[in-house]
Amino acid sequence: MKNLYPLIIFLSLLSSTTCFSQNIYFKNVNDSILPQFKDTSNKIIIVNGDSALNLKNKFSYALRFYPNMEFQSIKIKFRRSQKTVKIKPSFASIFKAPKQRTYKIYYSNLTKSTLDSVLLKNLSLNSQIGLIGIQLSRMEDFRTGGFFDFVGWYFKQLSGKAKNKINYDDELRAIEAGLGHQLLWFSKENEEKLKIEKWTNVKGYSNYIRHNKNRSMSPEIISNFVNDQPIYNAQQYK
């Protein structure tokens, strides 16, 4: 039995090394990749939603791009809403240290408009990762903030210009983290699905133009950032 100890130790080290060097850099994430990424700490809580979406795997994968992320849990809930996605810390979390904070992410499952075509469940896998990356980028910014930063963020929600700036910064942070290819995919899919000719309701399109259209980076801007950011040259994306 003692002769087996060196072999057991070697296999354990090999396993941990393989896990540590697990590749996360892909231009196009596919279903064969996701099972490798698991929520082993059970911090991702799906309150409701379709289990076929495999959200825990998708969040676990995207979280690998934010190695310093601290949180107690992420609670994900689906509901009817005109907003395709919304993220906020729980009220109690405002007064807690980053590792003790709980974040709530609400995804719409019905808007009753053409926005339904770009809900999380209706996006391609790569676009879903891009959308998730934006929410994690917001969490990353929350992580470095304190009580007054949270209060300031809530007040900024009252200004369309301020919300545009917040969303821009979130997307840029996700690109800098390494999720630029996924954000580009997400941006292109949104641009195609939300063309003016895809809308059947004038009022709905007007609301989209007023509240959503210019809130995200264009594919051209994302592409330029990806070409300029060091991580996309330093890492070999498959």
Side-chain angles (χ1 to χ4, degrees):
M1 183 66 181
K2 290 183 178 181
N3 293 333
L4 292 177
Y5 288 159
L7 178 61
I8 293 172
I9 293 173
F10 172 75
L11 291 175
S12 298
L13 290 173
L14 180 63
S15 176
S16 62
T17 302
T18 302
C19 180
F20 181 79
S21 61
Q22 189 177 33
N23 182 56
I24 62 174
Y25 299 102
F26 298 94
K27 291 183 178 180
N28 185 10
V29 179
N30 59 58
D31 288 317
S32 66
I33 295 167
L34 287 178
Q36 305 171 38
F37 301 91
K38 303 181 185 299
D39 176 30
T40 54
S41 58
N42 293 314
K43 289 186 174 184
I44 302 167
I45 302 169
I46 313 298
V47 178
N48 63 349
D50 188 351
S51 60
L53 279 173
N54 295 322
L55 283 179
K56 286 197 172 190
N57 295 96
K58 292 168 185 175
F59 268 83
S60 297
Y61 169 73
L63 277 165
R64 290 290 297 275
F65 290 85
Y66 301 88
N68 297 319
M69 185 78 77
E70 292 181 298
F71 59 92
Q72 179 68 38
S73 63
I74 301 174
K75 294 184 178 180
I76 301 164
K77 186 175 182 178
F78 287 81
R79 63 183 183 180
R80 288 189 179 187
S81 175
Q82 293 299 311
K83 293 184 178 180
T84 56
V85 61
K86 180 179 180 180
I87 179 172
K88 66 177 184 178
S90 66
F91 180 76
S93 291
I94 296 176
F95 307 96
K96 296 179 179 179
K99 64 181 180 180
Q100 297 175 317
R101 292 172 183 167
T102 293
Y103 296 93
K104 299 178 180 180
I105 302 178
Y106 300 93
Y107 289 105
S108 176
N109 55 16
L110 184 65
T111 69
K112 292 187 176 180
S113 75
T114 304
L115 283 172
D116 283 342
S117 64
V118 294
L119 297 182
L120 180 71
K121 63 182 180 179
N122 295 326
L123 292 171
S124 63
L125 175 55
N126 225 30
S127 292
Q128 288 181 11
I129 300 296
L131 179 56
I132 289 169
I134 297 172
Q135 279 86 69
L136 295 182
S137 179
R138 172 97 307 263
M139 283 179 54
E140 177 69 3
D141 190 49
F142 281 144
R143 181 183 69 83
T144 60
F147 173 77
F148 291 106
D149 296 290
F150 283 116
V151 173
W153 178 79
Y154 276 107
F155 275 107
K156 287 178 182 178
Q157 301 307 301
L158 302 175
S159 165
K161 184 176 180 180
K163 286 195 287 188
N164 288 348
K165 179 65 165 59
I166 289 172
N167 199 72
Y168 180 92
D169 290 343
D170 289 343
E171 291 184 346
L172 180 57
R173 200 177 298 109
I175 293 169
E176 292 172 340
L179 287 167
H181 292 293
Q182 284 66 45
L183 259 69
L184 181 58
W185 203 289
F186 172 63
S187 181
K188 287 181 176 179
E189 190 166 345
N190 271 262
E191 187 174 71
E192 175 60 32
K193 289 183 173 181
L194 298 177
K195 287 180 177 179
I196 186 171
E197 60 266 26
K198 301 293 178 69
W199 290 79
T200 57
N201 184 287
V202 175
K203 182 179 179 180
Y205 183 71
S206 297
N207 287 334
Y208 163 66
I209 292 294
R210 190 180 305 114
H211 300 293
N212 300 97
K213 183 173 174 58
N214 297 317
R215 188 149 292 164
S216 300
M217 292 185 189
S218 68
E220 292 75 20
I221 292 176
I222 295 174
S223 183
N224 288 337
F225 274 125
V226 169
N227 290 333
D228 291 340
Q229 289 296 322
I231 190 171
Y232 299 97
N233 294 317
Q235 300 295 338
Q236 186 174 0
Y237 280 77
K238 295 183 179 180

